[in-house]
Amino acid sequence: MYRLFLMLLFATVSLIATAQSWIRVNQMGYLVNDKKVAVMVMLEEQAVNTFEVINIDTRRSVKLKTVKNIGASSPFKATARLDFSEITTPGIYIIKVGDVESRKFRIGDDVYADSQEIPLYYMRQNRCGYNPFLKDSCHTHDGIIVLHPTRSGEKIDVVGGWHDASDYLQYVTTSANATYEMMFAYLGAPEVWRDDYNSAGDKGGNGVPDILDEARWGLEWLVKMNPDSATFFNQIADDRDHRLAVLPQNDLVDYGWGEGNGRPVYPCSGTPYGLYKNKNDSKGLASSVGKFASCFALGADIFKNIDPQFAALLRSKAGNAYEVAAANPGACQTAPCVSPYYYEEDNWADDMALAAMQMYRSTGERHYLADAVDYGRLEPVNPWMGADSAHHYQWYPFINLGHYYLAVQNDKRVRAEFVRNMRSGLQRVAERADGNPFLNGIPFIWCSNNLTVAFVTQAMLYREITGDDTYLEIETAMRDWLFGVNPWGKCMIIGLPADGDYPTDPHSALSNLNNYPITGGLVDGPVYTNIFRSLRGVTLRNADRYAPFQGDNVVYHDDYSDYSTNEPTMDGTASTTIMLSRLARKALKLK
């Protein structure tokens, strides 16, 4: 009887330990030669000394002692990093500590095969004008100019582009960045991109890689937003759009001209503006118009053999946009309206560094290179890197690709300077991550996942340029974070992997109203608790199934009503194409 009692007692203790401990793994899997680290999180104080890595197919088990106990990290009383980098045999595995088992995961150089195509599903779904996912068109009366010194009230055709997130506003700030980053992703790994869709986004190839079809959709909209050499528009619609959650083709918000009769089109402005009491803090045009220039210049290079006439148009617009941007330094912000929220972009030298570098690469004229160096020196490191906080999109884009291009120049001094700048940014984040069990040094501001993708991208580019593996562990850790190695065990790209624990209740009218899958969308990601509590209209409509993992300082909710952590964004999604395409190259080598 006593023996039975002990057996029951031990079984009970084991169940409690299991229920209060979790092993987080990258649910996409690990490349053969990856730095492979799982993280164990525990609600009780305990230390981990050994763990097992078990091959599901062969049942072969390897016991390892490569454990680093980190200690408490809210809400966990204990955490540990379990390093199994020595396991390189392709297969399906689990990790086990006592009775605690991880999810199944794969090791193999094909684990990211075709993953680069997944974000394009979301981009096509977010198209404005003709939407290939919905097989319908929306916002076909856009738009009517507002706050222009001479053209207010005038109608203009700006139909196209992408909805910014799960609302239907559109911004040059994010759309131009998304357009450029998709073209950059193509150039970095052209061999991985498929041609399964045509230029309208419908199934059926057209001889052009799908990512370039998507980038062209953005370029054509930017052309409309720059109808002549003196006019640059920055935004379509405003937060009056938020009154109803509807499918885009049913978005009939009345902006004062009748239901569905066009949305306001805001010009780029170098001074603060807004229709109502809320105003932005614009100080120049360079941040937005510089983005026009870099997109047009790169687009001209990419499309010169695909569509020479379109490329010629882009080339002529690129030079003009660059001159306008250079003559109007300062940040051009988006317009608030009913609410005080807008993209508070505060920097612009990064946009000009990229624009100048792209003009140099396109024309070969060395004065552009000199400009790029000067602009690059104005902001040696993106200010969010190493910072604890920032305003919404204060330092945007979250990666300075102008620095990357300067870091691969032939001039040894310039190259060394900007390699050092790239390294300095990585080092600042790494220092902030010191002592964190997930090696996360990203500030948990709104859209923290976008910053995470930017960090991984910069680390990958730095390693490609230099061969320096100093930041390989944190680079891999932040990639792993996006695919489940985080307190919530949550994958942050919807549908990736297909069998992963990704958001199932995102903040999206398409999924909320019609249960449409939001495949490929990168959600905003965890935020500081004070941000979650301070934003207007943020709440939870369901019980929080991740409650045990919410820390004192940082939260994430897979809940439709939490737009601060669980809303997919178009620009964040586009940015993942750079990272995923480079990872997917490994799979091609196996064929």
Side-chain angles (χ1 to χ4, degrees):
M1 187 69 178
Y2 178 68
R3 183 179 179 185
L4 178 60
F5 170 76
L6 286 178
M7 290 175 63
L8 290 172
L9 176 63
F10 289 144
T12 302
V13 170
S14 176
L15 285 171
I16 292 173
T18 300
Q20 295 189 336
S21 302
W22 299 266
I23 300 171
R24 304 306 195 195
V25 295
N26 182 326
Q27 295 169 36
M28 280 293 291
Y30 300 83
L31 300 173
V32 168
N33 293 317
D34 263 346
K35 179 71 173 179
K36 308 180 190 73
V37 179
V39 176
M40 187 167 185
V41 294
M42 298 155 276
L43 295 179
E44 294 181 339
E45 290 187 19
Q46 53 186 300
V48 179
N49 297 313
T50 63
F51 64 99
E52 293 180 84
V53 183
I54 303 170
N55 186 308
I56 295 297
D57 296 323
T58 65
R59 304 308 302 172
R60 182 173 180 266
S61 173
V62 177
K63 290 188 176 181
L64 299 174
K65 296 183 178 180
T66 45
V67 179
K68 185 175 182 180
N69 286 287
I70 304 297
S73 179
S74 178
F76 307 110
K77 296 292 183 63
T79 59
R81 292 179 59 79
L82 316 178
D83 190 329
F84 58 104
S85 301
E86 67 183 72
I87 308 298
T88 58
T89 302
I92 301 174
Y93 293 84
I94 62 169
I95 292 175
K96 190 173 182 180
V97 176
D99 293 327
V100 182
E101 293 185 357
S102 72
R103 295 175 64 103
K104 294 179 183 178
F105 62 89
R106 291 179 57 225
I107 292 176
D109 281 342
D110 62 342
V111 294
Y112 290 94
D114 292 327
S115 63
Q116 77 284 351
E117 300 289 337
I118 304 302
L120 299 184
Y121 286 89
Y122 183 76
M123 299 302 293
R124 287 187 287 267
Q125 190 178 62
N126 260 37
R127 284 193 183 190
C128 192
Y130 174 68
N131 186 297
F133 178 83
L134 297 167
K135 303 299 181 187
D136 205 343
S137 296
C138 64
H139 304 115
T140 56
H141 298 289
D142 284 344
I144 298 174
I145 300 171
V146 297
L147 294 179
H148 191 281
T150 61
R151 299 178 62 180
S152 291
E154 180 182 325
K155 218 164 152 51
I156 183 171
D157 176 14
V158 287
V159 177
W162 303 282
H163 304 133
D164 194 55
S166 295
D167 57 17
Y168 304 132
L169 281 65
Q170 296 176 255
Y171 306 104
V172 164
T173 304
T174 50
S175 295
N177 186 50
T179 300
Y180 189 93
E181 290 193 333
M182 286 190 289
M183 290 190 287
F184 185 87
Y186 169 77
L187 290 178
E191 68 276 19
V192 306
W193 296 101
R194 298 205 309 257
D195 175 26
D196 296 333
Y197 294 82
N198 61 26
S199 60
D202 292 320
K203 286 187 177 180
N206 62 342
V208 177
D210 294 333
I211 194 166
L212 293 187
D213 285 327
E214 208 56 39
R216 179 163 182 163
W217 187 261
L219 287 168
E220 290 176 345
W221 181 72
L222 290 172
V223 167
K224 289 185 174 184
M225 296 291 277
N226 173 216
D228 58 66
S229 61
T231 309
F232 296 85
F233 293 105
N234 203 41
Q235 174 177 330
I236 301 176
D238 54 48
D239 59 14
R240 287 172 287 179
D241 173 89
H242 296 166
R243 292 170 182 169
L244 295 173
V246 296
L247 296 181
Q249 67 269 35
N250 300 324
D251 183 20
L252 302 176
V253 174
D254 187 344
Y255 285 93
W257 307 296
E259 289 188 354
N261 285 337
R263 302 185 296 171
V265 183
Y266 291 83
C268 292
S269 173
T271 57
Y273 73 136
L275 279 176
Y276 297 156
K277 68 175 183 178
N278 296 303
K279 311 293 182 186
N280 64 20
D281 192 29
S282 290
K283 293 183 173 67
L285 302 181
S287 63
S288 287
V289 181
K291 291 182 178 74
F292 276 104
S294 55
C295 282
F296 290 154
L298 180 54
D301 290 347
I302 287 178
F303 286 94
K304 63 184 177 183
N305 295 323
I306 299 172
D307 186 339
Q309 185 175 357
F310 181 57
L313 172 65
L314 296 178
R315 194 169 304 283
S316 66
K317 283 184 168 291
N320 176 71
Y322 182 82
E323 294 304 318
V324 172
N328 293 274
C332 176
Q333 298 179 339
T334 64
C337 190
V338 178
S339 299
Y341 304 138
Y342 57 97
Y343 289 144
E344 301 175 67
E345 187 174 10
D346 203 26
N347 57 344
W348 55 273
D350 54 340
D351 297 297
M352 291 305 298
L354 179 59
M357 274 308 306
Q358 196 57 62
M359 291 298 295
Y360 171 65
R361 289 168 59 82
S362 297
T363 67
E365 297 178 18
R366 293 193 64 83
H367 68 91
Y368 288 120
L369 177 59
D371 286 354
V373 173
D374 289 342
Y375 286 126
R377 286 172 176 164
L378 291 177
E379 189 176 278
V381 176
N382 195 311
W384 76 259
M385 304 186 89
D388 293 328
S389 191
H391 296 300
H392 190 43
Y393 276 53
Q394 182 178 2
W395 297 310
Y396 186 79
F398 301 123
I399 181 172
N400 189 338
L401 291 174
H403 281 192
Y404 163 76
Y405 280 125
L406 285 162
V408 295
Q409 286 308 300
N410 292 328
D411 186 307
K412 290 183 179 180
R413 292 182 64 183
V414 170
R415 185 169 68 243
E417 177 180 351
F418 286 93
V419 165
R420 183 169 63 249
N421 290 344
M422 292 180 71
R423 183 172 62 245
S424 294
L426 299 175
Q427 181 62 29
R428 291 182 186 186
V429 176
E431 289 173 0
R432 193 171 181 275
D434 187 41
N436 183 279
F438 300 98
L439 297 189
N440 195 318
I442 306 296
F444 290 110
I445 56 177
W446 203 353
C447 295
S448 66
N449 279 343
N450 297 16
L451 275 67
T452 304
V453 173
F455 175 84
V456 174
T457 302
Q458 181 159 321
M460 294 175 83
L461 295 175
Y462 170 80
R463 186 163 47 82
E464 287 177 13
I465 293 169
T466 65
D468 179 5
D469 287 345
T470 299
Y471 303 101
L472 180 59
E473 183 172 9
I474 188 172
E475 171 195 326
T476 309
M478 290 298 87
R479 183 218 307 172
D480 294 346
W481 173 277
L482 294 168
F483 294 111
V485 186
N486 54 58
W488 309 272
K490 199 71 175 175
C491 298
M492 297 295 176
I493 300 176
I494 298 171
L496 202 61
D499 60 351
D501 181 4
Y502 52 78
T504 56
D505 191 20
H507 184 80
S508 166
L510 277 74
S511 60
N512 184 53
L513 296 176
N514 285 60
N515 293 316
Y516 290 140
I518 313 298
T519 303
L522 175 75
V523 297
D524 288 334
V527 298
Y528 292 122
T529 306
N530 64 341
I531 292 179
F532 170 73
R533 291 174 177 169
S534 67
L535 291 173
R536 296 182 182 184
V538 171
T539 183
L540 298 181
R541 69 176 181 181
N542 298 309
D544 181 9
R545 63 192 177 102
Y546 292 94
F549 315 127
Q550 309 294 10
D552 297 333
N553 195 36
V554 178
V555 297
Y556 166 81
H557 305 102
D558 186 2
D559 190 295
Y560 169 80
S561 294
D562 182 5
Y563 66 80
S564 68
T565 71
N566 212 40
E567 181 176 16
T569 62
M570 173 274 300
D571 64 311
T573 298
S575 74
T576 66
T577 60
I578 304 173
M579 171 184 74
L580 292 174
S581 58
R582 281 169 156 77
L583 292 169
R585 283 186 301 195
K586 287 280 189 180
L588 289 183
K589 296 178 180 179
L590 301 178
K591 295 182 178 180

